[in-house]
Amino acid sequence: MQPDAYPSRVLTEPAWLQRADPVAHAPWRSDAPLTREQHEGFERNGYLVLEGLFAPDEVQALQIELYRLQSLPVELDLDTVIAEPESGAVRSIFAIHEQSPLFARLTSDARLVATAQHLLGDDVYVHQSRLNYKTGFDGKEFYWHSDFETWHVEDGMPRMRALSMSIQLADNHAVNGPLMLMPGSQNTYVTCVGETPDDHYRQSLRRQEYGVPDRASLTLLAERGGITAPTGPAGSVIIFDCNTMHGSNGNITPYPRANAFIVFNAMANQLVRPYGGKPPRPDFIARRAASALRPQTGRLSERAGVSVDLASPIS
């Protein structure tokens, strides 16, 4: 097993470690899928927002499938469904690329995969995919965290060579619990305290209590880089580094928020034994058998066999 470059949950006090890996793992080039400004912005801030990546019919096809899966069709593996801790409403559905042909097509779309390959400097695979639902009035918060801290400790992801893409499937307003990020936080690894309980994922996916940064560290990161909450129409894509500190507030508005969440990991960064010493989390949360994605081109709705009538409302 590789030496632990990012130990966490082993000390009684939090510590700050300087990032030992690049943010962008390949230099910008003229044929890159991102502009130089976008590339440099991702390196500097740890996130990037892309709008207009998908056509209206593609967005609507994804929305229709989003709500179909929320109804828990019989073919859905209920072990992959996470409920809100109080209301019981669907909070997340994992492994969507293995349970829906349309979302399988989304995860291999060249517009996403080529960008991930460029920023990670390698072929990529899907470490995790899920749908996040934040229903009107009842959608609960996702507390501040670095995804990498959990993926490293609980899944065995060796290095910071992964990123997330959040494809917005409802309009992101300032008031309906949008994703919040701390620019520049990707450069600092904040260790957490407390030994990880057995089968921690069963509780943490509903409400996380371990792998949560301390308030003093969060305050200092916010003072250094601020907090931003990108807004935009459905179809916007937020790309952020695996160590960027992020979270979101609860949604007490009538306006639902939902997104498809895809984690791309570099093929050279495949999982090893979890660094926290516990058994690995299930494959639907952290894929251990990796196959490099082959980027697919064309419109999502055409390739997935979905027919969309843009004049029809989405229920």
Side-chain angles (χ1 to χ4, degrees), residues 155-231:
D155 298 332
M157 183 178 288
R159 311 294 300 207
M160 294 181 184
R161 200 172 181 181
L163 56 80
S164 300
M165 295 194 187
S166 179
I167 299 90
Q168 307 306 302
L169 298 181
D171 292 346
N172 242 26
H173 305 293
V175 296
N176 66 340
L179 178 70
M180 299 186 295
L181 308 110
M182 294 187 181
S185 60
Q186 76 279 1
N187 293 317
T188 303
Y189 181 68
V190 179
T191 71
C192 300
V193 299
E195 183 179 355
T196 310
D198 293 337
D199 291 333
H200 179 232
Y201 76 93
R202 297 184 184 277
Q203 173 60 31
S204 66
L205 299 178
R206 291 160 59 87
R207 179 182 289 121
Q208 190 163 355
E209 296 179 2
Y210 295 85
V212 173
D214 64 290
R215 293 184 177 185
S217 293
L218 291 172
T219 300
L220 185 53
L221 286 174
E223 289 175 347
R224 287 185 172 186
I227 295 174
T228 185
T231 59

Side-chain angles (χ1 to χ4, degrees), residues 221-259:
L221 286 174
E223 289 175 347
R224 287 185 172 186
I227 295 174
T228 185
T231 59
S236 303
V237 179
I238 305 173
I239 306 171
F240 58 100
D241 177 78
C242 60
N243 191 49
T244 299
M245 198 66 70
H246 64 286
S248 64
N249 289 320
N251 183 14
I252 62 171
T253 75
Y255 314 119
R257 174 180 170 254
N259 64 78

Side-chain angles (χ1 to χ4, degrees), residues 128-178:
Q128 181 189 106
S129 72
R130 68 178 188 259
L131 293 174
N132 290 326
Y133 299 86
K134 190 174 282 190
T135 57
F137 299 112
D138 295 321
K140 298 302 181 184
E141 72 282 353
F142 288 82
Y143 195 72
W144 291 108
H145 62 285
S146 154
D147 285 327
F148 178 75
E149 194 276 344
T150 295
W151 298 340
H152 183 72
V153 173
E154 299 190 32
D155 298 332
M157 183 178 288
R159 311 294 300 207
M160 294 181 184
R161 200 172 181 181
L163 56 80
S164 300
M165 295 194 187
S166 179
I167 299 90
Q168 307 306 302
L169 298 181
D171 292 346
N172 242 26
H173 305 293
V175 296
N176 66 340

